[in-house]
Amino acid sequence: MRSTTSSRARNRGRGWRPPLVYVTECRMDGAEALLSDTDLAIAQIAEYVGYADAFGFRAAFKRHRGLSPSVFRAAAA
């Protein structure tokens, strides 16, 4: 029987990401598309991609993309 630790170590070399990292990346990708392609308010986009409030979404977006959602939207225009 293989241990979970050695299995995880092997999978990391193959592009494995923890589930929360994967979910966050999916949310950010969706948010980028909505920011670029729609005029929805930041709060609406936050709710659409799964955040409880716009504040948490803004902080997460800036942490993962390096820009605030409004700056990203302006640059994409």
Side-chain angles (χ1 to χ4, degrees):
M1 183 185 293
R2 295 181 184 181
S3 74
T4 304
T5 305
S6 64
S7 177
R8 285 182 185 158
R10 279 193 315 278
N11 288 331
R12 280 200 176 111
R14 297 180 189 156
W16 181 87
R17 295 169 291 181
L20 186 57
V21 171
Y22 175 77
V23 169
T24 301
E25 288 175 359
C26 289
R27 286 176 168 176
M28 294 301 121
D29 290 345
E32 281 186 5
L34 291 170
L35 287 165
S36 298
D37 301 337
T38 70
D39 291 328
L40 293 172
I42 302 295
Q44 290 174 304
I45 292 172
E47 184 178 338
Y48 187 78
V49 298
Y51 283 85
D53 58 42
F55 179 78
F57 167 69
R58 283 185 183 103
F61 192 90
K62 188 167 186 174
R63 184 173 51 252
H64 289 278
R65 298 297 194 237
L67 300 169
S68 69
S70 57
V71 170
F72 178 86
R73 177 177 268 169

